[in-house]
Structure formats: structure tokens, C-alpha cells
Amino acid sequence: MSLDREFKSWQQEWQSEATPLPDLRQRVRQQSRFMWIMLAFEAAVTVGVGGGFSIWAWRSRQTDITVLAACAWGFIAVAWWFAIANRRRSWRAPAETTQAYLELTIRRCRGALSAIRFGFFLYFAEIVFCVAWLFRHNLRKGENAALEFFTSTWMVGVYAISATFVAAMFWYRAKRRRELASLLRLSEEIAEGSKLG
Amino acid sequence: MYSTAADSGGRRVEDSVRPTSHQERFDRLLREYGTALVRLASSYARSSSDRDDLLQEMALGLWQALPGFREECSERTFLYRVAHNRAIAFLMRQRQPATMAQSNPADLADPSLNPETALAREQGQRRLGDAVCALPLMYRQVVTLMLEGLDYREISEVLGISESNVGARLTRARGLLRTMMGGGQ
């Protein structure tokens, strides 16, 4: 069999498989809607948290609550600044080639790893700040001694959530690291393949 | 008349009637290239549920990329480019190397064929599909595009590589396929 005839027969065999296409239009509409909802959710959290603290500070007119509101906006600003800086150059591939898309995917993966590190530090900065603020706020009212405060049910909840958060972060980091390693291997493989011919 | 999967080849979009909206163009592309996308997805995803997930990602990628399509290449080239790039991202999330999706025999059954012919055809398809799935990515990409009927120029446009590179990859891929399929046909 000649080379062309061989490929032609493979082509016929390949193209004779005609599995019907699932209803993708509906799924794409749902997924697009979900992405918009997530974006709206991020904006709503920003406005809700920042706005909520601001309204509280404005109504109470107490200095420590004003400090809390200012710091909440500070944390929000830092989070948005990092998110935008981290996603810069990761929106789209510079060229429509496999290599360019692969590089974009690698950048996104590295961005995700940076975001994990950043999220870790931001979370603990927020927790330390909030706990310190609450401790000071409650102490001033004379309700709790230090020992009682740090062993309270509320604080046990904070410890549990923090432990879960750290475990989830480590799991996610390991997953993204594996993905990055595969991407780098694939990138090398494709670069080698490009030398052919 | 819009171009079709069979005849569009290297035709530019200027040659065909332009669709009136993003949604219409998207629907038409899925109608024309839907089965080709399923075959492409099957060469990357090992189970039918994974294949459907990948198809969804390809469709979403196409939906998002269509507004940015500057008609510098044919629609078919553009569609395969988006689909292949999505497939790479998908492949990275899979822990094990992708193998041929297990098609539902009912999906493949052709009522016009007798059971023996249908079975032989299904076995042939599976053998070829398994061999394509087992190819390293750089060969699999060119082989799947060639099997879909794209020429060297179109494959080079889809993958962003030179035509001579396409030829070299195909030659090696053909040898590997022949070995995997037991000495060719």
C-alpha cells in the first residue's frame, strides 16, 4: 500500500466515527453565566465587606471601628492590587500558536502559585489583625481575660478554619506544582519537536 | 452558502457569507465541525465524561475567542487552533496520559451496516483511535489534523509551526502509527 493510500484509508476510518455532539450551546451559556456571576460575587464581596464596615464606622463614630473599616479597605485594596498585577500579561496568548498558548498556561500556573503564597500571608495578616482588634475591643470593655478570650468557642472556630485553610492551601499548591511540572515537560517536548524538519 | 467541513479547506472567510451575529456563527461552526470536535476530543480524553468536559471547554474557548477572530485565516483553522489549545490545557489537568475515549457502541452503530461489518468497522476505529491516543503530543496534534483532512499549510497555521516541520512530524508519526497498529494495513 502506498503511503498516500495508507493515510487515506486511515482518514476514512477516522472520519467514519460520528459520535453525536452533546448539547454544548446550553452548557456554554451556563458556564458563561457562571463566570459573570463569580465576577459579580467578587465585586459584591468587596462592596459588601468594605461598605458594611464603613457604614458601621459612620454610625458608631468610634475611633477603633473607624480603624477597623480603614484596615478592611486596606486589605481589600492590597488584594485587588495583587490580583490585577498577578493577572497582567496572563489574559491572552501573545500569538495564536501552541507554544504561545502553552507559555500563557505556564504563566497562569506560576501566577496561581504566587496567588497561593500571597493568599496565605494575606489570610494570616487579616486573622492576626482581626483577633488583635477583637481582643483589644473586648478587653477595653473588661469582658474577657486573655486566657478566656483565646480559649473561647469563637477562637476555637478560628483555629479550626485556619487549619482547614492551611491544609487546603497545601493540597492546592501541590496540585498546581504537579501541573507546572507537566507543562514544563510538555513545553520542552514541543520545543524539541519544533526543531524537526 | 456557508463553507462546510468538507469543502472549506483553505478558504478564507471572505469567500463565504458572513454570519450576522456571534451566536449564529458559533452555532454554525458547532453544526459544521461538531463531529470533528468530538473526534479531536476523543484523542485527548480517556472516558466519555472527560471527553464531554473537554468538548465543553473547547466550545467555551470558541465562544470566547470568536469576537477576537480577525479573519486572518480560515474559520476551520481558527476553530482547530482554539480546540487544540484547550485540549493542551485539559491534558495538563489529567494525571494519566490520555487514551481513546470509550465510545458508547450505540453512538457508533450505523443501522445501514450488517452487524459483522459494523463490528469490524468499530474495531478498526478503536485500533486507530488507540494508536493515535498513544502518540506523543507533538505527533498526535499533526496526525489528528491530517486525519481530519487539513493540508500541510493549514496544519502549520493551526499549530504555529513550519510546513517542513509538519512534514517531518507526520513522517515520524506515520512510522509510529504503523508500528502500533501492527505493521500497518
Side-chain angles (χ1 to χ4, degrees):
Chain A
M1 190 180 275
S2 76
L3 290 183
D4 282 345
R5 281 186 61 194
E6 181 182 46
F7 232 119
K8 280 266 185 299
S9 73
W10 286 345
Q11 259 182 355
Q12 281 172 356
E13 208 158 68
W14 179 262
Q15 291 184 13
S16 65
E17 184 184 336
T19 306
L21 187 70
D23 183 13
L24 293 176
R25 292 175 195 86
Q26 179 66 17
R27 292 193 196 181
V28 166
R29 267 196 290 275
Q30 282 173 351
Q31 209 168 338
S32 300
R33 206 177 302 135
F34 178 74
M35 287 164 80
W36 280 109
I37 289 170
M38 287 309 290
L39 196 64
F41 178 73
E42 281 181 28
V45 166
T46 299
V47 173
V49 172
F53 278 121
S54 299
I55 291 169
W56 187 21
W58 181 69
R59 282 190 174 170
S60 71
R61 300 192 185 279
Q62 290 176 27
T63 312
D64 58 345
I65 294 173
T66 306
V67 169
L68 180 67
C71 287
W73 277 112
F75 283 125
I76 288 169
V78 169
W80 274 101
W81 165 80
F82 178 83
I84 292 167
N86 197 36
R87 286 177 199 168
R88 204 183 52 203
R89 299 197 310 125
S90 297
W91 291 110
R92 57 187 312 142
E96 294 283 351
T97 63
T98 302
Q99 190 63 44
Y101 190 81
L102 199 55
E103 279 164 17
L104 177 72
T105 314
I106 289 171
R107 258 204 310 277
R108 282 179 180 162
C109 200
R110 287 194 167 128
L113 285 167
S114 304
I116 291 167
R117 271 194 303 276
F118 176 81
F120 186 84
F121 288 116
L122 184 68
Y123 175 81
F124 279 99
E126 285 172 351
I127 287 292
V128 167
F129 171 79
C130 289
V131 168
W133 185 90
L134 272 174
F135 181 65
R136 185 179 171 279
H137 190 73
N138 289 343
L139 260 192
R140 210 176 55 177
K141 289 179 182 172
E143 285 177 6
N144 284 311
L147 184 64
E148 275 179 37
F149 177 81
F150 286 106
T151 54
S152 63
T153 313
W154 187 88
M155 279 306 293
V156 170
V158 170
Y159 302 141
I161 290 170
S162 298
T164 309
F165 178 80
V166 170
M169 281 284 193
F170 274 106
W171 171 81
Y172 187 59
R173 190 178 67 160
K175 183 172 177 276
R176 296 311 295 247
R177 277 183 170 175
R178 276 198 303 273
E179 194 179 319
L180 181 61
S182 313
L183 280 166
L184 292 172
R185 268 199 308 276
L186 185 65
S187 181
E188 276 174 25
E189 187 187 311
I190 286 178
E192 279 298 311
S194 300
K195 290 175 191 162
L196 296 174
Chain B
M1 203 53 167
Y2 296 132
S3 56
T4 64
D7 69 10
S8 61
R11 283 204 313 173
R12 304 273 160 172
V13 172
E14 297 85 56
D15 301 338
S16 61
V17 177
R18 283 197 178 82
T20 52
S21 73
H22 176 197
Q23 175 76 54
E24 280 179 29
R25 180 182 257 187
F26 176 72
D27 288 348
R28 181 174 54 78
L29 285 172
L30 283 189
R31 244 189 343 266
E32 289 179 6
Y33 299 102
T35 49
L37 284 182
V38 173
R39 289 192 291 266
L40 181 65
S42 297
S43 69
Y44 286 96
R46 63 199 301 260
S47 68
S48 54
S49 66
D50 280 348
R51 185 194 62 199
D52 286 355
D53 286 348
L54 175 55
L55 276 169
Q56 184 175 331
E57 288 188 27
M58 286 174 174
L60 184 67
L62 183 65
W63 173 259
Q64 290 172 334
L66 264 181
F69 178 43
R70 298 284 169 260
E71 298 174 13
E72 291 147 350
C73 58
S74 70
E75 279 184 329
R76 182 159 79 149
T77 301
F78 178 75
L79 176 131
Y80 279 123
R81 196 182 278 160
V82 171
H84 268 275
N85 288 341
R86 289 287 168 148
I88 288 176
F90 179 85
L91 203 59
M92 290 304 99
R93 290 198 296 275
Q94 305 297 105
R95 286 191 176 180
Q96 293 166 351
T99 56
M100 187 66 170
Q102 295 301 305
S103 305
N104 180 354
D107 292 341
L108 299 173
D110 182 346
S112 65
L113 298 174
N114 68 48
E116 281 178 13
T117 315
L119 183 66
R121 199 181 79 174
E122 194 190 319
Q123 281 174 342
Q125 284 168 349
R126 185 149 296 166
R127 203 161 57 108
L128 177 63
D130 286 345
V132 170
C133 281
L135 287 173
L137 183 73
M138 63 177 166
Y139 300 134
R140 198 185 328 173
Q141 286 183 318
V142 289
V143 165
T144 49
L145 291 170
M146 184 56 122
L147 290 174
E148 287 299 339
L150 277 75
D151 60 27
Y152 278 30
R153 186 182 56 77
E154 286 178 296
I155 297 174
S156 75
E157 282 180 2
V158 171
L159 300 177
I161 55 178
S162 68
E163 287 183 41
S164 61
N165 192 241
V166 172
R169 288 193 197 190
L170 268 176
T171 305
R172 294 195 183 193
R174 195 198 298 256
L176 288 171
L177 271 181
R178 211 180 284 146
T179 308
M180 284 189 277
M181 292 176 73
Q185 299 180 10

